[in-house]
Amino acid sequence: MVRAGVDRAHLTRLLEKATGSPVTMVCAGAGWGKTMAVSAWAQGRREPVAWLSLDPHDNDPQIFWSYVLAALRVAGAVAEDNPLAELGSVPADEAERGGRLAAGLAQLPAGTALVIDDVHEIDDADVLRELSRLLHQLPPALRVVLVGRAEPALRLHRLRAAGQLAEIQAEHLAFTRSEAADLIAGHGLELTGDDVSTLVERTEGWAAGLQLSAAFLATHDGDVTIADIAGDLRTVDDYLTEEVLADRTRRQRRFLLQTSICEHLCAGLVNAITHGDDGQRTLEQLERDNTFVLRLGAKPMWFRYHHLLRDVLQHRLRVETPGTVPELHRRAARWHAANDSVLEALAHAVEAQDWPYVGRLVTTGAGTLMVSAHRPALVRILREVPPERLQATPELLICAALLLFHAGDYDAIPARLDAARTLLRTRPPATREPVEVMAHTLQLAADRAAGDMPAVIAGSGRLLDLLAAARSITPPALAQSRAIALNNRGLALLWTGRLDEAERDLWAASGAARSAGVELTEINATGHLALLQAMHGSVHEAARLAESAVDLADRRGWRYALQTVAAHLALALVGLERNDLAKAVLAARDGMRAHQSDPEAAQRLVVLGVRARLATARGELAVASSLFDEARHDRPARLRVPAIDAWLALGEAQLDLADGRAPEVERRGPEWLPLGAAALVCLARAAYAQGNHRRAEVMLTGLAVPERDTITRTEAGVLTALVADARGRGVRATDVLAEAVALAAEQGIRRPFTVLAGPRLDGLLQRLRLLTPATADLIDELRDGRDKTGPLPENLSERETEILRYLTTMLTAAEIAGDLGLSVNTVKAHMRAVYRKLGASRRTEAVLAARRNGLL
């Protein structure tokens, strides 16, 4: 609140010296001139200064770090080659978020400063913990300046003890006598030296008090003395109410009162609130005339009122015109809604207690935030609606259904949707469409989460028909809803075994989502296309699709979003078929981690099936059997996924073969037979394993394997060669094996050669090697039959994984212990466990092994 023109060069020098330390804390009460002092220092720096002003709505890790990233970009600190340049949104997963931000912050230009103003507004434990971690592990190029009214809970005592914290407090910010004289002269006043000294003594150099005092004296032009204003500082509130507002024109006073409902202001917003057209001019005039109106550094077209002034304005508004407050919030809500600030719109609608409008905002767009990173914020707002009002309108019933969806109470959702449709019957068609679209979309999400794929197929068809006939829904919303419907129908067709139709819809969904800008849906559709290929098609194509989906998710910070599960699992199956078990296990872990964020019944079965197949490949047959058992039991009543059931049954049959129980394969039920060629190949393997070569040959003769099913074609080829050789048809065996090897080389397939390994296959491969010397290296690899990346490390616990990340730093065990709040002995024990599991004897070897296995 320091008036422009007052030279406080000593504060700038103090700040410059302070920022030689990694962290600087500027801490003092309201009105001490903290922000102005830091701003003056920032303007004189050549190096980038990123400025972030906080408010209570920033108490969410994703929102907080998103604004940090935006501030760095605005300051020009994020170069094109910085990993943060392409980050579309901050990851929801804490570990991934920390890793992505740390990688980008490490590449900032030397001398970059990050100013976090109003840091006292942050009280969220997660934000405080992550910010504290950053402050204790700052990259050399970055300095952080914290500005706030009180010291935040950031474990600053550790930095203080280590000499890494510089502090500027009220006594440093207090005005000196000469500075106070300059400020007073700026108001056109001439005070004696004794009067200036008295004013400084009475206000203790408080910038706000001096500013108010000078303004008060200038207003009364000699009618008052220092003694009239320099006493009890509690009169500041009275002054703000009676003098600042009274000094304004009637229009300006009304402008200040009405716009005080908003934390941040811009021309369009204040024009909407006041029904005026001079918002920008008025804000700029108030900023010039009155330092209680501040321009936001990172948003030059946005302003805010000083907290003290806003408090007083809001109080006066409630006292003088209480009946206008709801309407003002309604106007703000409508402006934010029209400018795509839907959460802000909802917050103002709640303040207005305009519950029907809250419902309309949800059904016309905000409801889709339930499957986005903004889900927690949406749920917090919806919980503000009184429960008894959630039955009042169709839109509010949709809000109630969304809360049920968040709680996982899918069975209760249809009753709310039926009630909403009952109330809709008397509505004109144009007002029914948004509610119907949201109701259908929500029912689809609930059916999908419960695993009822026939219901998803039927519901998707109805939604697509509704969208095709809609007349009152905007084209962007139509495009987004169509992409979501196609994706849901595509995955449901996949899990009911209708592969051609599934592929058609999933490709359509991927393209529609890309055009509509719904990237999470695009990732989900592409991931399911990859799963389709991994289970029934081309390994090469599955890898390409899954990698493209995961790459997009990585660039946007969504690696562990629910929509990435299918892509991760597809990569796990690709790794399995290529006998690259280390990559397969890591991809499966990523899929499990993403699935845990918001579990779906069908995906749970696929996760279990992938894990069971990997356990089989690793020889952990008891583990695999347990996982298959888990997949058969504890299933939701509505689960209908016949294709997954058949795929799981095939996996169990393959487990029987791996465990030497070939007769069990032929005694299995019919649920896996819809897999056709894959099931027949498995039955032929069982016959071959029991020495019934003739029966195996009959099954394989004339076997029609779809051209795209390269996995089954390869396995059938290897098995046919073995049977032909056993039946004395050596030439045919070599010819068929040559075709299988060629296909394996093209697709990178290795698993069939491992599961069918033995002296006969080894001899056939050796014969083929002699006949085709060009394939010698590939055949040697196939004969070897081992996981080409070497042995897998044991699973690391969550704490061991955390310790592993510290091993890449220069921190000692004692420093790691201090940062994590553990004893040194506990940290050392975890370090020894990490070394053992990674097969390392020292720290550098452990880091190299972890990177080799994709753990870092």
Side-chain angles (χ1 to χ4, degrees), residues 124-179:
D124 179 80
D126 293 333
V127 176
L128 290 168
R129 182 181 65 256
E130 294 180 34
L131 178 56
S132 180
R133 186 180 300 134
L134 170 66
L135 298 180
H136 287 78
Q137 300 175 17
L138 277 181
L142 181 62
R143 293 291 182 267
V144 175
V145 180
L146 305 172
V147 185
R149 296 183 184 182
E151 183 172 310
L154 291 173
R155 297 188 294 177
L156 296 180
H157 61 282
R158 295 184 180 177
L159 295 173
R160 190 176 290 120
Q164 296 182 318
L165 175 68
E167 298 180 80
I168 296 176
Q169 299 175 334
E171 61 265 27
H172 304 109
L173 296 167
F175 268 51
T176 64
R177 181 182 176 282
S178 61
E179 290 170 341

Side-chain angles (χ1 to χ4, degrees), residues 514-528:
R514 188 180 306 113
S515 298
V518 195
E519 289 184 319
L520 280 172
T521 301
E522 178 188 352
I523 290 167
N524 196 237
T526 306
H528 280 91

Side-chain angles (χ1 to χ4, degrees), residues 687-741:
Y688 175 77
Q690 296 175 79
N692 194 339
H693 301 149
R694 178 174 176 78
R695 177 172 170 77
E697 185 178 47
V698 170
M699 290 181 177
L700 294 169
T701 301
L703 180 66
V705 183
E707 183 70 20
R708 72 180 184 186
D709 192 349
T710 57
I711 298 168
T712 303
R713 284 171 57 203
T714 302
E715 187 168 358
V718 176
L719 185 58
T720 299
L722 289 170
V723 172
D725 189 66
R727 299 276 290 167
R729 301 187 181 94
V731 174
R732 171 166 169 74
T734 303
D735 290 344
V736 173
L737 185 61
E739 293 176 2
V741 167

Side-chain angles (χ1 to χ4, degrees), residues 566-580:
H568 290 307
L569 297 182
L571 286 176
L573 291 176
V574 168
L576 177 66
E577 294 301 330
R578 291 179 170 173
N579 214 29
D580 195 344

Side-chain angles (χ1 to χ4, degrees), residues 53 56 128 159 169 263 406 491 716 785:
S53 296
L128 290 168
L159 295 173
Q169 299 175 334
E263 178 73 15
H406 176 71
L491 70 89

Side-chain angles (χ1 to χ4, degrees), residues 22-38:
V23 181
T24 301
M25 180 74 218
V26 182
C27 184
W32 281 96
K34 304 179 295 294
T35 299
M36 188 68 74
V38 177

Side-chain angles (χ1 to χ4, degrees), residues 17 20 40 52 235 283 310 351-352 740 787 802 838:
K17 180 180 178 181
L52 173 61
T235 59
L283 287 168
R310 184 171 177 237
E351 288 293 330
D787 173 16
E802 191 171 21
L838 293 176

